[in-house]
Amino acid sequence: MDRFAALLLMLTLSLTLLLIFLALFARSPIFSSLITALLYTLYLFVANEKAGVHNAQEFENRFWTVFALMVSTTALFAADSPVAIGLWSPSLGFLGVITFGYIVHAYDRYLHRASLSRHPNIRRSSSVQARSIGSLSGDDADARETFERHLLTVNEALAAIDQVFVPSTINNMINQNFIAEKSRIIIGVFQEASPEALNYLVTRVKLALLFYKVKDHRSPAAQFRTELVDLLAVNRISVLTIVSKATVLDALQMMKMTANSRCEFWVKNLIKSCTQDDLSELKVLTDAKGDYFSMHKLIYDDIRSPSIRSDILTHIKDQARIQSAHMRIIKGRRSKQRGAKAWRKVLSDVDDTMLCSGAHYPAGIDNRYAKKTLYPGVLAFYRELDLGTKGPNEWPKGRVGNLVFLSARPHMYKDVSEKANYAKFKKLRDRGMHTNPSLLAGDMKSGSEYMLNNNMEPLAVKKFENFKEYVSIYPEFTHVFVGDNGQGDVRGAEMMKEAFGDRLEMVYCHRVQPLDKTHGWDPERYRKGGVEVCFFRTYVEAGIDAAKRGLIRVQGLRRICLDAVKDFHDIGRKAWPSKQHLHSRRAELNHSLRMANEYLVENEIKPVPMILSSPRYNVGERVSTTYGNGWVRSFDPVADLYKVDVDWRGLDVQIKEYKEEKEGMSSVADNDTTQASVDVSRVKSDESNTDEPSQPPAPSGDMSVRSISPPPSSIAHDNDSTSAPDSELAFYRNVASLDADAQVKTFLENEAAKISPQPSPRMSPRFSPLSTATTPNISVSFPGRAGSGMAGAMPSLLLEPTAFDNASATSTSLAAAVSASAKKANSQVYAWVKARDIRPFELPVLMDETDIPSRGMFSFFAATSGSKQAPAVKVDGTIKQGMYVKCFAGEGKVMEVRDDGMVVVTMASFGAKAYLRVADVEEVVKESWLSGLRGRGKTEKQVVDEEEHIFVPGDEFGTPYGDGVVLDVRVESIEDEEDSAVANDKNITAAGGGNVVATAAKSRTTLKVNLGFGVMYCTQTNASAWSKKYARNQSRILSVIGSVFRRMTVAPPRVKKEEDPVVFERVFQDGAIVDVGTFGAGTIKGHRSSDGVYSVDLGYGLGYFGASSLSKHVKRGCSEGCRVVTSLGLTGTLVSVDAATSIHKVVCAKAGLTCYLHPTSIVSCINAAEGEEVITPWVGEGIVERYRHSDKMYEIKLPWGAKLYCPEPDVVLLEINRESGGGIAGWRILRGWFTSTGKTETPARRRSRTTSLGGSVQIKKEVNS
């Protein structure tokens, strides 16, 4: 669903809701008004998360309770409510209000208790102080019992305080002493516990629920919550491990930081108690919990005091500097531990980067995969970037990763939107994601701007702001950003690079649309800003780039390739939008795997297997292709190509042979087909047990491609969308398990074995192949072979004729070679055909002339289906040049009558030339002049004069530019290589023997028309349309009479094979520098006068552009009339720029020279040239004596003879028309103001502000006295 459809749906829903509301308001105005007020109150509550009502969970619970009571009261007691039960039974209505309010109250408490009761997903550290109960030895039985007894005591006290059906406020009022006693028991356990027991309790008790239920009471001596948290975050903080501190931070976030005024102090104390690597571990553990409560939210959202936030960030920054110094200087165990990590954060987008959006707006635009499909290899790419090139070779089990997602999806109330993403991440953990990632969401402002105005800049700015805040939390890490070019990721990455430089190591951008459509696309700006972006189509390509840059290991690249193949196979068959998507993505990924294998082999690492396709047709099976019928000879599972024995014999021979096979008259063909096909007995045996996948054979030389064919169910039901994908996926996994070397070796051995091919399943022995010693091959390369360097998109047809003579084999035209070989009695043609161009066998049907359509044909077959060849027809004069005739393909005009009985006809309906026999054409009866006066047609379709009029010299017709007269008619032949090859290859063999070659050629008819004020060239099609649309000034009767007379007297048009070429005038000369729009500046290298196209060297490639795409190049930063400094050391005024040569004309007044310079000889634009008068901010006027470009310093001669050295920004050109006489600048400026006529002109790029001795004034360019 695109943006237009989404906005239309939103508008429709809004209008529907509005109409429903208006209808309800008309029916029940009181009820509707109250409901509207309540909904607005709910909106204010949800939209203002930092309001006081959200400071504590108790406040939120009270709001929902009161809101539920008000809604139920409105529904049950409003006078015009549709369910006003309270009007006729107040008791029942009151009971309903109380019941509904309590249900909402209890349900909100249940949800909050469930969230507080969960244990944070924090990895148990291997620190010395973090010994768990399971690690204690047998001698520590007493300690084990103590730990369990403390935990049991705390849980029993917590259960006594937490009443499920009684609210905490009411429970504290009723059982105040009981609650106080239990709270003191809990505090006492935490206070008396040993360090090991304390860490054990903190990490295993429901700490968030404990903080929430142990509350502060009115009495100063009953501040139990403050006392408990002070005990952990202040008094005994020195004995807490990093995991325990992370657990306490999580509990404070879950409780709500605003629930206690000291929460921010506790958080600061916990963070500042950690230093260097311990601080990094604390931050990473807090972010790797897999929920909404991350370190970023803690510092930038939960902490609202700017001073405390600043103290925390300063501490983090100072510790990062110490870590950096220790990494460079100190050697030892800690340094080795630090060196085993990459210290890199991987930041990534979600939609169209990790998961395909399926082109569902507003998530993304990529439709190459189905919605929510995981891109093959993306998780492995994240893992290898996080692993880096230091430390262990593979990701250690239990290690916490550094994966962060920057999403454009807006944050909504609490964690409503984030919860869906974290649930998605949890599923991906089961599929191989190496760590629990954190998420930095967008906001409603940027999201609404994108949806309503399609403005992606706010999305980019929001991602940059999130990145900026995240870098301040992790200054000791470097960062790699992975995004896509569908929204604002590239623009956001550009801002990240400009702000943080080397801290952003690399930017990887998933290419989901053309680069020129990328938001903020400007390669020149990227180059100047040092922004290096790798655009990729598959994550295998991204892995190759990362391996070459040293970001990942080469072994890591191989793991990415293996995971990409596995992820591709894990995509269910029904999950693909279409079979074409499946084939295209497989070819795309195989192309990337080829490049990766080449790089792996260069580094002496074993290559990875390719993704094999499932054969849908058995070897020896008869099929139909776009190039004719044939038999399948072999199958290439890598390129998805079938080697087909194409049968280019006559259709009558093929039909006759097929009928004989059906009747059982050709036993030889049946035996050959049986030998070449798949073992039927094995197929039948497999049908009974389709659940077990076929086992792949051992990789040996005897193995053939067809021996790993899929189960028969996947072949028989390939076109059935309801077939189960189990057997197909089993086949994919089996072939994927084969080693890459075994695949290549097996395939090469199979091809070598096919050098002596088996007999063709054709009946006639004259089609048996010849010896390979005399078999020249037109196609010398094998498509799809590993390392071939082909770009994935294989040609759909590669011919391999096995019996060509020398003349045909050395011919440069493939069509000519095939045509010549078809004349031999014993020839056999093989074609490599894409699977999409093959379909089940269809019996060909012979067509006679009445079955041939009258339009859209480019070849006409003169041979008939009779048993005898049609005799040649002598030219008897009945068909003449210029005559209008009709044939089975339509009507046309005779252009030539040849002596061999062939007639060349230009078809009126589709502009092609047909070569027909005289017997196949019939003269069109001309209309009488009376029928022409009445406007009646001469034929049923009236193709010639109504659909497309055929003009002759002298015809008059109306045009948009006035009436015109045809001066000349030119018919040009247009070569079409593809159609010509098809037409020449299809030779029809008559039953009586011999070949009748039917050819076709496209043509274009051009008219030369005299308009009175000039000559115009147009096509016959346009002229025919104009003649109907624009009426001429003369009457219809005279027009018809004149047209009939001209048709009877004017000679037929001349067919000219060659036309005088149209020469385009050259605007730009070779060597000139021009501007080429968004491509930047380039140098003219050549010009084609035939079409006016210029070849331009852009520095990074050669481009071809028309004159309209090029523009005059002016030195960047300069304009005509500005002052410039040249590479000669002279300064002057840039007077003009020649567009043809890009020569800049510079007048140097002081030197008395006029320089004609190349743009590269212009250094830059300056404020004033030597010899010109200027104003300075200190001493007024002066004359420029010299300008030094090295330090941008002016040497100015003052009126009293002194010299002033002034920097360029402080020098302003004085441009006032003076009268004779001297005077200080202030007087002339003042006189200019009083004598000014008010007519001012402001130059485009010239400074006009100056400071004189009298103060700051505005100087005009011209002051007329």
Side-chain angles (χ1 to χ4, degrees), residues 176 253 367 393 617 805 864 944 1005 1141 1242:
Q176 184 174 1
Q253 284 186 278
N367 60 356
N393 187 42
Y617 304 98
D805 54 10
T864 63
V944 176
T1005 304
T1141 60
T1242 304

Side-chain angles (χ1 to χ4, degrees), residues 884-946:
Y884 291 93
V885 296
K886 62 181 179 180
C887 63
F888 62 87
E891 297 186 358
K893 188 173 183 178
V894 177
M895 307 304 296
E896 182 183 358
V897 180
R898 302 196 314 210
D899 295 337
D900 58 356
M902 300 297 293
V903 180
V904 182
V905 180
T906 299
M907 306 308 297
S909 57
F910 46 88
K913 285 196 299 185
Y915 295 81
L916 307 170
R917 298 175 302 176
V918 175
D920 296 331
V921 298
E922 180 182 352
E923 182 182 3
V924 176
V925 180
K926 294 181 179 180
E927 60 177 350
S928 63
W929 66 275
L930 289 177
S931 63
L933 292 176
R934 293 193 299 268
R936 297 177 181 175
K938 60 187 178 183
T939 61
E940 182 178 354
K941 293 185 179 180
Q942 201 171 352
V943 176
V944 176
D945 288 327
E946 289 189 4

Side-chain angles (χ1 to χ4, degrees), residues 114 155 232 242 250 362 392 499 554 683 686 703 853 1115 1164 1176 1262:
N155 286 336
L232 296 176
I242 302 301
D250 178 77
V554 182
V683 172
D686 290 342
M703 180 180 122
K1115 178 69 176 180
S1164 64
T1176 65
E1262 294 184 1

Side-chain angles (χ1 to χ4, degrees), residues 365 484-487 490-491 508-523 526 533-537 1078-1079 1100:
I365 61 175
D484 62 86
N485 71 332
Q487 294 179 348
V490 178
R491 174 61 181 149
Y508 288 95
C509 187
H510 188 205
R511 183 176 176 180
V512 296
Q513 66 175 348
L515 294 181
D516 56 349
K517 294 184 179 180
T518 305
H519 173 68
W521 176 251
D522 191 348
Y526 300 158
V533 183
C534 172
F535 293 91
F536 62 91
R537 297 287 289 181
T1078 58
F1079 298 95
Y1100 51 85

Side-chain angles (χ1 to χ4, degrees), residues 32 179 353-354 396 437 452 522 579 653 662 844 1117 1169:
S32 301
I179 299 297
T353 302
M354 182 182 67
L452 298 178
D522 191 348
K579 290 184 179 180
V653 177
K662 295 290 290 184

Side-chain angles (χ1 to χ4, degrees), residues 1172-1190:
E1172 293 185 322
E1173 296 184 77
V1174 295
I1175 291 290
T1176 65
W1178 302 288
V1179 293
E1181 290 185 1
I1183 299 177
V1184 177
E1185 288 289 325
R1186 183 186 174 192
Y1187 173 75
R1188 295 201 307 262
H1189 179 67
S1190 59

Side-chain angles (χ1 to χ4, degrees), residues 580-594:
Q580 183 61 36
H581 283 76
L582 170 62
H583 302 327
S584 300
R585 300 290 75 77
R586 178 172 54 227
E588 181 180 72
L589 193 54
N590 273 338
H591 171 58
S592 301
L593 291 174
R594 289 190 193 96

Side-chain angles (χ1 to χ4, degrees), residues 1080-1108:
T1083 305
I1084 299 293
K1085 292 298 183 181
H1087 174 258
R1088 290 202 304 260
S1089 59
S1090 59
D1091 55 3
V1093 173
Y1094 292 86
S1095 60
V1096 182
D1097 184 4
L1098 299 173
Y1100 51 85
L1102 194 63
Y1104 296 87
F1105 306 92
S1108 59

